[in-house]
Amino acid sequence: KNQVEQSPQSLIILEGKNCTLQCNYTVSPFSNLRWYKQDTGRGPVSLTIMTFSENTKSNGRYTATLDADTKQSSLHITASQLSDSASYICVVNPNTGNQFYFGTGTSLTVIP
Amino acid sequence: DGGITQSPKYLFRKEGQNVTLSCEQNLNHDAMYWYRQDPGQGLRLIYYSQIVNDFQKGDIAEGYSVSREKKESFPLTVTSAQKNPTAFYLCASSPRRQVVNTEAFFGQGTRLTVV
């Protein structure tokens, strides 16, 4: 069964600290994995995309990693800011069909 | 600007009434999707359409209906048969799956409340 699991479910960190969010998936065959940021009451916005051959990709203070062998991805946020408070959703796209498989998200709260 | 637009942003409905949520995209995407999001849960697929005049049920299609008469539009009707319709609804679109690095682009959502 194709599944995407994220951990932790929620996280509270102090402003300026780093954090790492985890995503494990069983989706096969694999095409790409995206991390989305969703602010409360708004639609998700793509942060990074990882394809099968990529191990690390950065987008500003966001760094995503992918281990396609173990089917794990992580999103590392450096020097967190209050505006990073949001839900972070891992989405896996198989290379068959048009369906996307969504994780349940990690709710991140950054406090001053 | 290209994008995907949902309307209205907030919607209130009386029990027993049908209501239609609008989703329009000008990205020339073939595929469109409707998701439901409840507090503490991930996005759940209601319906999706890969081409005009064709659509498939997702994981939670009961109580919902859709149409895809135009490539740009994929309206969702929440019928009175949906027992718990209060939720945040997200529409998304994506290019054909053959496009490398396919991404789903999301609208800003419609929050439906049954009163």
Side-chain angles (χ1 to χ4, degrees):
Chain A
K1 183 178 179 182
N2 290 318
Q3 287 186 312
V4 179
E5 295 183 349
Q6 292 186 242
S7 62
Q9 185 175 8
S10 62
L11 184 62
I12 301 174
I13 62 173
L14 291 173
E15 185 178 11
K17 297 296 185 182
N18 303 337
C19 68
T20 300
L21 314 179
Q22 298 290 343
C23 174
N24 298 337
Y25 62 92
T26 60
V27 178
S28 182
F30 173 85
S31 176
N32 62 68
L33 181 150
R34 285 186 182 269
W35 284 94
Y36 283 83
K37 178 184 178 186
Q38 183 180 19
D39 293 313
T40 301
R42 301 183 69 83
V45 176
S46 179
L47 291 174
T48 68
I49 179 173
M50 305 289 290
T51 58
F52 186 86
S53 59
E54 296 175 307
N55 300 118
T56 303
K57 182 172 285 187
S58 292
N59 177 8
R61 293 180 297 101
Y62 301 104
T63 299
T65 66
L66 175 66
D67 185 333
D69 291 330
T70 61
K71 299 187 177 181
Q72 296 180 325
S73 176
S74 67
L75 180 69
H76 186 75
I77 304 174
T78 304
S80 61
Q81 301 175 358
L82 298 179
S83 60
D84 292 333
S85 296
S87 287
Y88 292 84
I89 304 171
C90 175
V91 184
V92 180
N93 182 27
N95 61 10
T96 58
N98 260 109
Q99 283 214 43
F100 297 87
Y101 293 90
F102 290 80
T104 54
T106 292
S107 175
L108 174 65
T109 303
V110 181
I111 59 175
Chain B
D1 289 331
I4 181 166
T5 303
Q6 288 185 241
S7 61
K9 189 174 175 103
Y10 299 97
L11 189 58
F12 294 88
R13 188 196 90 175
K14 292 184 179 179
E15 280 192 39
Q17 287 182 338
N18 292 354
V19 64
T20 298
L21 282 59
S22 170
C23 179
E24 305 276 333
Q25 54 97 1
N26 59 4
L27 300 167
N28 199 33
H29 286 169
D30 290 296
M32 296 187 75
Y33 315 78
W34 274 106
Y35 295 93
R36 172 182 170 138
Q37 190 174 38
D38 294 284
Q41 296 191 38
L43 279 73
R44 293 185 289 169
L45 182 64
I46 304 173
Y47 268 97
Y48 66 102
S49 168
Q50 299 192 31
I51 197 169
V52 174
N53 292 324
D54 184 62
F55 48 83
Q56 287 81 40
K57 293 181 179 181
D59 300 321
I60 55 166
E62 184 175 352
Y64 300 98
S65 65
V66 294
S67 62
R68 188 83 187 279
E69 297 176 359
K70 298 187 299 181
K71 188 176 185 178
E72 302 80 16
S73 179
F74 191 41
L76 173 74
T77 296
V78 184
T79 74
S80 57
Q82 169 52 237
K83 298 305 178 187
N84 186 23
T86 295
F88 188 57
Y89 291 87
L90 282 164
C91 179
S93 69
S94 69
R96 288 181 181 272
R97 67 176 173 85
Q98 290 84 355
V99 173
V100 176
N101 297 340
T102 299
E103 174 185 355
F105 292 81
F106 289 87
Q108 292 305 300
T110 293
R111 182 164 298 282
L112 172 65
T113 303
V114 174
V115 296

